[in-house]
Amino acid sequence: MEVGAIAAMRFVKDGIRAARLVMQHTEHTLFVGEKASAFAIAMGLPGPANLSSVESMDKWTKWRENGCQPNFWKNVVPVDGCGPYQPKCNMGPSEGECPASNLMGVTESGSSHVGLHSHDTISMAVIDKMGHVAVGTSTNGATFKIPGRVGDGPIAGSSAYADEEVGACGATGDGDIMMRFLPCYQTVESMRRGMEPELAAKDAISRIARKFPDFVGAVVAINKNGEHAGACHGWTFKYSVRSPEMEDVKVFTVLP
């Protein structure tokens, strides 16, 4: 139940280290934005620094030249440009409001923008020799996300959750959809009730897929005894495992 998280932090490379500093040196849980950067630098992390790379700048330039497509906007105009964007619907009685029917596409998701090359999430769960369980998730977020967006990475119970009485879970995929279901919290709680890791992971994924059949995502579950499994939807997913008695990492492939 010790948690630290960072979101929307710029100019500091080591987001996961900053999150740990929040956990170790404050009574808060989540820092965001400019003040998160200031906190991380004040606590000794390198910065401010330009985190853009030649590769990322080239990708961004080509995206701009393509009319900022694809992106995560919906129900706005222009539909094929770089903005500024405005609501597509006519203004209702209350200025700035759109009819609810235009906003309630509950079975649609942005997973068409999510794939192996559109995000860079790393989630890792560890059990030490004393039986303590920890999990961490770090991500740069969805490619071409709208500025200000926070995904599931820093949300406790969504991309990561651990309880050393039970085990741990890590998740990746369409974070905007997955965070609505807290799949890692669900997975750990299912294991607490006696489910094996494989069934717990599959149950968490199926809860999302029933509501959003086009979503892309995966979870990995491990119980306190070291038994592990993964479940996924919309892609073939791989995760790796290493234990003291193993000579090297072993990669496991999970089919949807």
Side-chain angles (χ1 to χ4, degrees), residues 10 12 24 47-48 75 77 99 105 160-161 169 203 208 225 228 231 233 235 242 256:
R10 303 179 68 189
V12 178
Q24 292 178 320
N75 300 322
V77 291
Y161 196 73
C169 168
D203 176 70
I208 307 172
N225 299 318
H228 58 84
H233 184 86
W235 58 4
R242 179 73 182 268

mmCIF file of all heavy atoms in Angstrom, residues 10 12 24 47-48 75 77 99 105 160-161 169 203 208 225 228 231 233 235 242 256:
data_model
loop_
_atom_site.group_PDB
_atom_site.id
_atom_site.type_symbol
_atom_site.label_atom_id
_atom_site.label_comp_id
_atom_site.label_asym_id
_atom_site.label_seq_id
_atom_site.Cartn_x
_atom_site.Cartn_y
_atom_site.Cartn_z
ATOM 1 N N ARG A 10 7.559 16.888 -17.640
ATOM 2 C CA ARG A 10 8.436 17.227 -18.753
ATOM 3 C C ARG A 10 9.845 17.530 -18.241
ATOM 4 O O ARG A 10 10.049 17.845 -17.067
ATOM 5 C CB ARG A 10 7.886 18.431 -19.513
ATOM 6 C CG ARG A 10 6.467 18.245 -20.040
ATOM 7 C CD ARG A 10 5.987 19.475 -20.763
ATOM 8 N NE ARG A 10 6.727 19.679 -22.008
ATOM 9 C CZ ARG A 10 6.631 20.794 -22.754
ATOM 10 N NH1 ARG A 10 5.849 21.777 -22.373
ATOM 11 N NH2 ARG A 10 7.320 20.899 -23.876
ATOM 12 N N VAL A 12 12.399 15.895 -17.451
ATOM 13 C CA VAL A 12 13.107 14.973 -16.567
ATOM 14 C C VAL A 12 12.924 13.572 -17.125
ATOM 15 O O VAL A 12 11.793 13.120 -17.323
ATOM 16 C CB VAL A 12 12.589 15.039 -15.119
ATOM 17 C CG1 VAL A 12 13.335 14.031 -14.245
ATOM 18 C CG2 VAL A 12 12.752 16.446 -14.560
ATOM 19 N N GLN A 24 8.777 7.709 -1.287
ATOM 20 C CA GLN A 24 9.724 7.641 -0.176
ATOM 21 C C GLN A 24 9.784 8.909 0.656
ATOM 22 O O GLN A 24 10.091 8.854 1.847
ATOM 23 C CB GLN A 24 11.123 7.328 -0.714
ATOM 24 C CG GLN A 24 11.288 5.936 -1.287
ATOM 25 C CD GLN A 24 12.677 5.713 -1.852
ATOM 26 O OE1 GLN A 24 13.251 6.601 -2.477
ATOM 27 N NE2 GLN A 24 13.222 4.528 -1.625
ATOM 28 N N GLY A 47 18.076 17.399 -14.717
ATOM 29 C CA GLY A 47 17.103 18.203 -15.439
ATOM 30 C C GLY A 47 17.267 19.662 -15.076
ATOM 31 O O GLY A 47 18.004 20.007 -14.149
ATOM 32 N N PRO A 48 16.589 20.551 -15.803
ATOM 33 C CA PRO A 48 15.741 20.244 -16.961
ATOM 34 C C PRO A 48 16.568 19.880 -18.183
ATOM 35 O O PRO A 48 17.677 20.374 -18.359
ATOM 36 C CB PRO A 48 14.971 21.550 -17.175
ATOM 37 C CG PRO A 48 15.877 22.612 -16.627
ATOM 38 C CD PRO A 48 16.598 21.984 -15.470
ATOM 39 N N ASN A 75 -15.444 14.140 -32.556
ATOM 40 C CA ASN A 75 -16.580 15.089 -32.567
ATOM 41 C C ASN A 75 -16.120 16.536 -32.624
ATOM 42 O O ASN A 75 -16.682 17.404 -31.947
ATOM 43 C CB ASN A 75 -17.480 14.876 -31.341
ATOM 44 C CG ASN A 75 -18.070 13.479 -31.287
ATOM 45 O OD1 ASN A 75 -18.441 12.917 -32.309
ATOM 46 N ND2 ASN A 75 -18.143 12.913 -30.093
ATOM 47 N N VAL A 77 -14.133 19.765 -35.270
ATOM 48 C CA VAL A 77 -13.683 20.250 -36.577
ATOM 49 C C VAL A 77 -12.449 21.109 -36.346
ATOM 50 O O VAL A 77 -12.328 21.753 -35.312
ATOM 51 C CB VAL A 77 -14.797 21.072 -37.286
ATOM 52 C CG1 VAL A 77 -15.931 20.173 -37.696
ATOM 53 C CG2 VAL A 77 -15.300 22.214 -36.385
ATOM 54 N N PRO A 99 -25.160 17.839 -27.621
ATOM 55 C CA PRO A 99 -26.159 16.833 -27.249
ATOM 56 C C PRO A 99 -25.476 15.549 -26.808
ATOM 57 O O PRO A 99 -24.477 15.123 -27.385
ATOM 58 C CB PRO A 99 -26.947 16.625 -28.549
ATOM 59 C CG PRO A 99 -26.745 17.891 -29.330
ATOM 60 C CD PRO A 99 -25.365 18.374 -28.968
ATOM 61 N N GLY A 105 -20.478 7.348 -27.448
ATOM 62 C CA GLY A 105 -20.056 6.170 -28.202
ATOM 63 C C GLY A 105 -19.312 5.210 -27.307
ATOM 64 O O GLY A 105 -18.109 5.015 -27.457
ATOM 65 N N ALA A 160 -0.683 -0.958 -12.761
ATOM 66 C CA ALA A 160 0.118 -1.713 -11.793
ATOM 67 C C ALA A 160 -0.610 -1.772 -10.455
ATOM 68 O O ALA A 160 -1.302 -0.823 -10.076
ATOM 69 C CB ALA A 160 1.491 -1.061 -11.606
ATOM 70 N N TYR A 161 -0.408 -2.883 -9.771
ATOM 71 C CA TYR A 161 -0.955 -3.020 -8.421
ATOM 72 C C TYR A 161 -0.242 -4.190 -7.748
ATOM 73 O O TYR A 161 0.089 -5.188 -8.395
ATOM 74 C CB TYR A 161 -2.461 -3.285 -8.456
ATOM 75 C CG TYR A 161 -3.153 -3.057 -7.128
ATOM 76 C CD1 TYR A 161 -3.350 -1.776 -6.648
ATOM 77 C CD2 TYR A 161 -3.602 -4.128 -6.364
ATOM 78 C CE1 TYR A 161 -3.988 -1.561 -5.429
ATOM 79 C CE2 TYR A 161 -4.244 -3.928 -5.155
ATOM 80 C CZ TYR A 161 -4.431 -2.638 -4.689
ATOM 81 O OH TYR A 161 -5.064 -2.415 -3.482
ATOM 82 N N CYS A 169 0.393 -7.300 -10.373
ATOM 83 C CA CYS A 169 -0.096 -7.255 -11.748
ATOM 84 C C CYS A 169 0.505 -6.048 -12.446
ATOM 85 O O CYS A 169 0.673 -4.984 -11.845
ATOM 86 C CB CYS A 169 -1.629 -7.162 -11.764
ATOM 87 S SG CYS A 169 -2.349 -6.743 -13.378
ATOM 88 N N ASP A 203 -9.949 -12.931 -16.615
ATOM 89 C CA ASP A 203 -11.189 -12.312 -16.138
ATOM 90 C C ASP A 203 -11.112 -10.791 -16.249
ATOM 91 O O ASP A 203 -12.073 -10.146 -16.691
ATOM 92 C CB ASP A 203 -11.446 -12.728 -14.690
ATOM 93 C CG ASP A 203 -12.664 -12.043 -14.104
ATOM 94 O OD1 ASP A 203 -13.789 -12.363 -14.528
ATOM 95 O OD2 ASP A 203 -12.490 -11.163 -13.230
ATOM 96 N N ILE A 208 -13.158 -5.896 -19.723
ATOM 97 C CA ILE A 208 -12.988 -4.758 -20.620
ATOM 98 C C ILE A 208 -13.518 -5.081 -22.007
ATOM 99 O O ILE A 208 -14.231 -4.277 -22.631
ATOM 100 C CB ILE A 208 -11.503 -4.360 -20.704
ATOM 101 C CG1 ILE A 208 -10.919 -4.135 -19.316
ATOM 102 C CG2 ILE A 208 -11.342 -3.094 -21.559
ATOM 103 C CD1 ILE A 208 -9.412 -3.915 -19.303
ATOM 104 N N ASN A 225 3.593 -16.735 -4.661
ATOM 105 C CA ASN A 225 4.406 -17.943 -4.769
ATOM 106 C C ASN A 225 5.233 -17.974 -6.051
ATOM 107 O O ASN A 225 5.958 -18.946 -6.299
ATOM 108 C CB ASN A 225 3.503 -19.181 -4.715
ATOM 109 C CG ASN A 225 2.725 -19.276 -3.418
ATOM 110 O OD1 ASN A 225 3.260 -19.019 -2.341
ATOM 111 N ND2 ASN A 225 1.453 -19.625 -3.515
ATOM 112 N N HIS A 228 2.845 -17.375 -12.431
ATOM 113 C CA HIS A 228 2.535 -16.214 -13.270
ATOM 114 C C HIS A 228 1.776 -16.615 -14.514
ATOM 115 O O HIS A 228 1.790 -17.781 -14.939
ATOM 116 C CB HIS A 228 3.828 -15.499 -13.662
ATOM 117 C CG HIS A 228 4.800 -16.385 -14.393
ATOM 118 N ND1 HIS A 228 4.742 -16.608 -15.753
ATOM 119 C CD2 HIS A 228 5.854 -17.132 -13.933
ATOM 120 C CE1 HIS A 228 5.708 -17.432 -16.115
ATOM 121 N NE2 HIS A 228 6.401 -17.772 -15.030
ATOM 122 N N ALA A 231 -2.682 -12.415 -19.979
ATOM 123 C CA ALA A 231 -3.888 -12.456 -20.804
ATOM 124 C C ALA A 231 -3.908 -11.204 -21.658
ATOM 125 O O ALA A 231 -3.421 -10.145 -21.233
ATOM 126 C CB ALA A 231 -5.149 -12.540 -19.944
ATOM 127 N N HIS A 233 -5.876 -9.048 -25.325
ATOM 128 C CA HIS A 233 -6.999 -8.896 -26.256
ATOM 129 C C HIS A 233 -6.556 -7.969 -27.371
ATOM 130 O O HIS A 233 -6.000 -6.897 -27.117
ATOM 131 C CB HIS A 233 -8.212 -8.300 -25.535
ATOM 132 C CG HIS A 233 -9.436 -8.208 -26.394
ATOM 133 N ND1 HIS A 233 -10.324 -9.258 -26.552
ATOM 134 C CD2 HIS A 233 -9.925 -7.198 -27.157
ATOM 135 C CE1 HIS A 233 -11.297 -8.888 -27.354
ATOM 136 N NE2 HIS A 233 -11.078 -7.641 -27.735
ATOM 137 N N TRP A 235 -4.170 -8.354 -29.634
ATOM 138 C CA TRP A 235 -2.807 -8.527 -30.131
ATOM 139 C C TRP A 235 -2.194 -9.766 -29.488
ATOM 140 O O TRP A 235 -2.725 -10.320 -28.531
ATOM 141 C CB TRP A 235 -1.934 -7.299 -29.863
ATOM 142 C CG TRP A 235 -1.793 -6.883 -28.412
ATOM 143 C CD1 TRP A 235 -2.303 -7.526 -27.309
ATOM 144 C CD2 TRP A 235 -1.113 -5.737 -27.920
ATOM 145 N NE1 TRP A 235 -1.979 -6.835 -26.166
ATOM 146 C CE2 TRP A 235 -1.236 -5.733 -26.510
ATOM 147 C CE3 TRP A 235 -0.383 -4.715 -28.511
ATOM 148 C CZ2 TRP A 235 -0.679 -4.742 -25.708
ATOM 149 C CZ3 TRP A 235 0.173 -3.743 -27.705
ATOM 150 C CH2 TRP A 235 0.025 -3.746 -26.324
ATOM 151 N N ARG A 242 12.293 -13.914 -14.988
ATOM 152 C CA ARG A 242 13.609 -14.346 -14.533
ATOM 153 C C ARG A 242 13.521 -14.656 -13.038
ATOM 154 O O ARG A 242 13.012 -13.841 -12.262
ATOM 155 C CB ARG A 242 14.652 -13.252 -14.776
ATOM 156 C CG ARG A 242 16.073 -13.604 -14.311
ATOM 157 C CD ARG A 242 16.736 -14.632 -15.212
ATOM 158 N NE ARG A 242 18.068 -15.019 -14.754
ATOM 159 C CZ ARG A 242 19.198 -14.423 -15.146
ATOM 160 N NH1 ARG A 242 19.157 -13.413 -15.993
ATOM 161 N NH2 ARG A 242 20.356 -14.858 -14.700
ATOM 162 N N PRO A 256 -4.283 -13.961 -28.020
ATOM 163 C CA PRO A 256 -5.574 -13.366 -27.652
ATOM 164 C C PRO A 256 -6.697 -14.399 -27.640
ATOM 165 O O PRO A 256 -6.579 -15.450 -28.224
ATOM 166 C CB PRO A 256 -5.793 -12.311 -28.749
ATOM 167 C CG PRO A 256 -4.972 -12.776 -29.900
ATOM 168 C CD PRO A 256 -3.786 -13.483 -29.308
#
